Amino acid sequence: VGNWMVAYGIRAGEIFDIFRATMDPDRVVAVIAGQAADASVATNALAGSSYYGTQKADVLAIAPYFYYESDDLYAEYDSGTPDIDGIFDALEIAATTTAAATVTANLAVANTNKMPLVCYEDGQHLGYSNEPYADDAGFLEFFEDLQRHERMGECLALHLAAVHAAGATTLVHFT
């Protein structure tokens, strides 16, 4: 098979065929998910979902979130004097430059396969699933304050503009 990404594409193609055989094929849109940060996932998955010269997928979808590393975020909090402007400056770079680069790379894969690119999720990703983060009430309050900070809205607006400028025409945003 090659690798897990190709195997995923093969299985997705089989599932697309089942849906098209079971339902009205004109109402089925076969969407294969890539990984925004790594366009090779889409390249390999689409290679797997192409049988005998026929691409089974209709659409490539990615989720171009922007983020700040949770360990770095916790270190800022734990310092006692977090650099809020520095955090948001870094988030703005991630929201614009990094996100645009991931969209551009995946759009090239979609274009090579003659299909549209859809962004099916999007927005900021500030996560804390590791210890000691989840049990630190002060960090959770800091985390919530960042999520609600007025600059987060600015980051989201910049992100949307950058993703659109990079060529994404359909974006579904979850909050």
Side-chain angles (χ1 to χ4, degrees), residues 5 8 32-50 55 57-62 100-118 166-167:
M5 298 166 280
Y8 157 64
I32 199 154
Q35 185 179 41
D38 184 359
S40 73
V41 173
T43 299
N44 282 282
L46 288 168
S49 65
S50 179
Q55 180 54 255
D58 301 316
V59 175
L60 171 61
I62 61 168
T102 64
V103 168
T104 300
N106 281 281
L107 183 59
V109 174
N111 289 340
T112 297
N113 287 276
K114 299 177 179 63
M115 64 180 57
L117 175 69
V118 171

Side-chain angles (χ1 to χ4, degrees), residues 11 15 17 22 25 41 50 58 61 67 69 97 105 118 129 131 143 148 151-152 161-162 164 169 175:
R11 185 63 181 138
I15 292 168
D17 284 345
T22 306
V41 173
S50 179
D58 301 316
Y67 64 93
E69 290 290 345
T97 307
V118 171
S129 58
E131 295 294 336
F143 176 82
R148 295 180 179 119
R151 282 193 66 189
M152 188 60 79
H164 182 72
T169 58
T175 55

